[in-house]
């Protein structure tokens, strides 16, 4: 649990696809963790409009507000809260979940921990479905959506996804066989995007979402950061450095 300006994330999950919601709560570090507010849960008494919401990861604090992704009524939704009170300021539905993604990845969305990234007036929202959606938070409109290729599968469906294999059998996947996190890292007008649903690393234009280049994951696990115009990839046994402009 993080304190003041942060969040607490309390799961209340059951079994199966239709899992129970969770809660988002804030504590005050100055008063040794005194509870300030709670939203979510089955009834969400402090903010009834968020009853039965499933928060998908930690919120992004920005200018006195918290931006958090949630699944609400079978839709991935951007939720904006007042950081001091937890009151709902506004929300934006990002995408409806079809029956396939709802059934296959319901549990994955609830444990993956996706969070928005902010840059140049745009909020970049991973969806835990393989898509990345940019929201103009000034206009409160969708700016663009990037839909990536699914994992190692020419038919472009989920049958080849390593996540589906992991969720459908009890053996799991070998360590290092997929991206560890779904995240967007921004630098110099570029977005570096990875997702466990794909075996590719993507570089996108920040303002348009157009793809600049892509590379196979190989043995890499996650993006360590961007420094001096170089993308640092952390692998199972080594680090890789790529030029942000042309992947060299």
């Amino acid at each position: 649990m993080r304190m003041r300006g942060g969040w607490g994330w309390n799961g209340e999950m059951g079994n199966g696809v239709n899992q129970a919601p969770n809660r988002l709560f804030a504590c005050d570090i100055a008063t040794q963790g005194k509870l300030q507010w709670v939203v979510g849960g089955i009834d969400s008494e402090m903010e009834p409009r968020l009853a039965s919401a499933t928060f998908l990861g930690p919120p992004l604090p920005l200018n006195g507000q918290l931006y958090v992704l949630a699944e609400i009524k079978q839709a991935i939704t951007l939720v904006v809260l007042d950081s001091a009170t937890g009151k709902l300021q506004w929300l934006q539905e990002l995408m409806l979940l079809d029956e396939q993604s709802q059934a296959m990845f319901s549990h994955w969305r609830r444990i993956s921990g996706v969070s928005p990234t902010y840059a140049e007036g745009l909020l970049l929202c991973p969806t835990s479905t393989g898509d990345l959606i940019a929201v103009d938070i000034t206009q409160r409109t969708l700016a663009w959506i990037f839909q990536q290729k699914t994992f190692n599968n020419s038919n472009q469906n989920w049958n080849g996804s390593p996540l589906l294999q992991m969720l459908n059998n009890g053996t799991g996947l070998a360590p290092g066989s997929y991206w560890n996190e779904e995240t967007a890292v921004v630098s110099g007008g570029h977005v570096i995007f990875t997702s466990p649903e794909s075996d590719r690393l993507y570089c996108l234009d920040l303002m348009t979402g157009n793809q600049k280049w892509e590379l196979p994951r190989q043995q890499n696990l996650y993006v360590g950061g961007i420094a001096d115009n170089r993308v640092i990839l952390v692998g199972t046994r080594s680090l890789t450095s790529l030029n942000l402009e042309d992947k060299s």
Side-chain angles (χ1 to χ4, degrees):
M1 179 177 64
R2 299 173 187 169
M3 313 297 282
R4 186 175 289 276
W7 62 287
W9 195 18
N10 179 24
E12 301 172 347
M13 300 190 300
N15 298 318
V17 172
N18 296 318
Q19 304 191 40
N22 56 16
R23 297 181 295 166
L24 192 69
F25 55 95
C27 299
D28 187 353
I29 193 171
T31 57
Q32 299 181 331
K34 181 179 179 181
L35 184 65
Q36 298 297 295
W37 52 259
V38 182
V39 296
I42 296 176
D43 51 12
S44 188
E45 293 182 8
M46 290 184 62
E47 185 50 82
R49 289 172 291 180
L50 296 178
S52 298
T54 300
F55 298 103
L56 302 180
L60 173 70
L62 183 65
N63 297 328
Q65 296 183 320
L66 299 177
Y67 295 82
V68 61
L69 297 169
E71 182 178 336
I72 302 174
K73 297 180 180 179
Q74 298 183 338
I76 304 299
T77 303
L78 173 64
V79 176
V80 184
L81 304 172
D82 179 87
S83 60
T85 66
K87 290 296 183 181
L88 179 65
Q89 303 300 292
W90 57 278
L91 53 79
Q92 171 68 59
E93 187 176 283
L94 301 180
M95 66 180 298
L96 293 173
L97 297 169
D98 58 33
E99 292 184 2
Q100 186 180 38
S101 61
Q102 178 73 13
M104 288 181 178
F105 296 102
S106 177
H107 178 64
W108 169 254
R109 280 192 300 278
R110 289 161 168 79
I111 64 174
S112 59
V114 293
S115 297
T117 299
Y118 175 79
E120 303 294 334
L122 295 179
L123 204 68
L124 307 179
C125 302
T127 61
S128 293
T129 65
D131 297 337
L132 180 67
I133 298 176
V135 177
D136 184 324
I137 60 173
T138 301
Q139 302 295 326
R140 300 185 183 180
T141 58
L142 301 183
W144 51 260
I145 179 171
F146 175 73
Q147 297 178 301
Q148 65 180 334
K149 300 172 184 176
T150 55
F151 188 97
N152 193 24
N153 182 36
S154 59
N155 294 327
Q156 297 297 295
N157 59 44
W158 291 110
N159 294 335
S161 167
L163 284 177
L164 182 57
Q165 298 172 33
M166 178 179 66
L167 297 174
N168 281 349
N169 63 60
T171 59
L173 293 174
S177 61
Y178 56 95
W179 290 112
N180 281 6
E181 58 185 1
E182 182 165 338
T183 187
V185 182
V186 180
S187 179
H190 299 73
V191 180
I192 298 298
F193 178 53
T194 61
S195 171
E197 288 85 354
S198 173
D199 64 346
R200 315 291 290 180
L201 178 145
Y202 296 97
C203 180
L204 313 175
D205 181 87
L206 172 62
M207 303 311 297
T208 66
N210 293 334
Q211 181 176 314
K212 291 178 174 288
W213 52 263
E214 66 176 273
L215 280 176
R217 183 187 65 84
Q218 298 179 340
Q219 54 83 45
N220 295 302
L221 300 177
Y222 61 91
V223 178
I226 301 175
D228 297 328
N229 213 41
R230 307 290 296 184
V231 182
I232 310 301
L233 302 178
V234 180
T236 53
R237 296 180 179 272
S238 63
L239 298 177
T240 302
S241 173
L242 303 173
N243 187 290
L244 182 61
E245 298 291 340
D246 60 10
K247 67 184 177 184
S248 61

